[in-house]
Amino acid sequence: MNDIDILKLYFKDEELQKAIKKYENGTPAAYIIGEWEFFGDRYLLNEDCLIPRCDTERVVEKVLDKLSDDGRLLDLCTGSGCIAVSTLKRKLNASGVAVDISPKAIEAAKENAIINCVNGRLDFLCADIFDKPLGRERFDIIVSNPPYIPTKDLETLDEYVKKEPAIALDGGADGMDFYNFLVMEYKDNLTENGLFVFEIGYDQQEKIQETAKRYGFECVVTNDYSGNPRVAVLKKI
Ligand SMILES: C[S@@+](CC[C@H](N)C(=O)[O-])C[C@H]1O[C@@H](n2cnc3c(N)ncnc32)[C@H](O)[C@@H]1O
C-alpha cells in the first residue's frame, strides 16, 4: 500500500484533499495521520519523533532473541519508544528504561507504552545520553538506534526524510559520535554477560567493529533482508 492509499484509510472528502495536499508539499504520511505501524504494533507520533522504520524491526528481532524472559533493557535514543515497547510487549516479565533528549518524543513514547500495555514495566527519562543519566545501573541489553548519518550527508537526504527531526539523524562528522560514546561510557552499565545491540548505517560495519575492538568487545553484524549489514551485537571479550 502506498502513502496515498494509507491517507485514504484515515480521511474522506475535503479532509482527504487537505491531507493529500500536505503530503504533496512534503509532509510524511505518518505525521499527517499521527500514527504508524511498527512490528505489527500501533505507534502514536508527533513531528519530534523519527518515523519507525522496517529496518529497525531487525533490531527488535535481535533483542527478542538475546534478552532473557525477565531481563532488563535500556533503550537509548528511544524516540517513539518503538524498540523498547515492541520488545517488552513480547517479553512479559522483562522491564526497562527508555531515554531520549526530546520532551515531545518522550511524551509520545509514554503514550505508546500505555496503548501497548507495557507502561508498568518501562520507565522513561528525558535526558541527554551524553550526560550519562543512568549512573551505575546495570542492564542485560543496551539497545540503541541513535542518530548515525554523517553531518555532511544530511543535505543529500530525501525531502520527506528532511522533514524528520535533524536531531534524530545527525551522528556527527563520520556518523559515529553516538556509538563511540555509548561503548566507551556505557560499557560499565552492562551486566556480566550483557550486550550492546545497535542499528548501524549500511556502510558502518567496519567502523563499529573498530570501536568494539578498541574497548574490548567482539562484534557480530547481521544483515537486513536486502543484504546490508544493519544490526551490530557487541559482547565483552
Ligand atoms: C534515529 S532516532 C531513533 C528513534 C527510535 N529509537 C527508532 O528507532 O525509531 C534517534 C533518537 O535520538 C534522540 N537523540 C538525539 N540526540 C540525543 C541525545 N544527545 N540524548 C538522547 N537522545 C538523543 C532523538 O531525539 C531521536 O529520537
Side-chain angles (χ1 to χ4, degrees):
M1 197 181 289
N2 67 29
D3 286 350
I4 299 277
D5 288 336
I6 292 174
L7 292 176
K8 284 180 185 162
L9 295 176
Y10 285 81
F11 302 102
K12 295 242 172 307
D13 307 327
E14 211 175 303
E15 291 300 310
L16 177 61
Q17 293 318 312
K18 276 192 211 157
I20 291 176
K21 192 153 203 168
K22 267 194 192 173
Y23 179 73
E24 286 173 347
N25 286 334
T27 305
Y31 292 149
I32 299 171
I33 62 184
E35 64 179 63
W36 209 237
E37 190 183 303
F38 174 82
F39 215 78
D41 302 325
R42 181 174 172 234
Y43 283 89
L44 303 176
L45 298 180
N46 57 54
E47 296 196 7
D48 286 13
C49 299
L50 188 91
I51 302 163
R53 307 289 206 274
C54 295
D55 295 341
T56 308
E57 295 181 344
R58 306 284 83 80
V59 175
V60 174
E61 285 169 1
K62 188 59 78 180
V63 175
L64 285 171
D65 181 43
K66 302 286 183 188
L67 187 69
S68 63
D69 286 341
D70 59 352
R72 286 280 291 162
L73 177 71
L74 173 60
D75 178 9
L76 296 172
C77 301
T78 195
S80 62
C82 58
I83 298 175
V85 169
S86 284
T87 299
L88 294 194
K89 194 168 175 178
R90 288 157 183 83
K91 289 269 176 189
L92 299 184
N93 294 310
S95 60
V97 181
V99 183
D100 202 283
I101 198 167
S102 158
K104 282 190 73 186
I106 284 288
E107 225 175 80
K110 283 182 179 171
E111 284 184 276
N112 289 327
I114 292 169
I115 65 172
N116 285 291
C117 305
V118 304
N119 50 314
R121 294 181 285 125
L122 187 57
D123 294 325
F124 293 91
L125 263 183
C126 185
D128 185 340
I129 60 114
F130 292 100
D131 290 339
K132 290 202 66 194
L134 275 308
R136 290 161 172 255
E137 197 177 344
R138 285 178 187 262
F139 297 87
D140 300 302
I141 292 188
I142 298 179
V143 65
S144 188
N145 174 19
Y148 58 69
I149 297 176
T151 309
K152 66 173 171 24
D153 294 346
L154 293 174
E155 261 314 297
T156 67
L157 294 173
D158 177 273
E159 288 309 312
Y160 284 100
V161 178
K162 281 190 197 161
K163 289 281 169 30
E164 296 186 79
I167 196 180
L169 302 170
D170 187 351
D174 65 352
M176 294 299 292
D177 283 6
F178 283 76
Y179 304 113
N180 291 336
F181 187 86
L182 293 182
V183 179
M184 181 172 68
E185 294 292 340
Y186 283 83
K187 59 183 184 314
D188 295 333
N189 291 94
L190 288 173
T191 53
E192 200 180 327
N193 294 309
L195 303 173
F196 285 113
V197 179
F198 297 138
E199 177 168 324
I200 58 169
Y202 69 96
D203 57 354
Q204 290 174 325
Q205 177 169 8
E206 266 179 38
K207 285 184 182 145
I208 195 72
Q209 279 169 335
E210 279 165 24
T211 300
K213 197 168 167 198
R214 196 177 320 134
Y215 297 105
F217 284 80
E218 64 178 24
C219 174
V220 176
V221 177
T222 310
N223 288 355
D224 64 16
Y225 291 135
S226 318
N228 295 312
R230 297 302 305 278
V231 182
V233 177
L234 280 67
K235 185 175 191 294
K236 194 106 186 136
I237 296 168

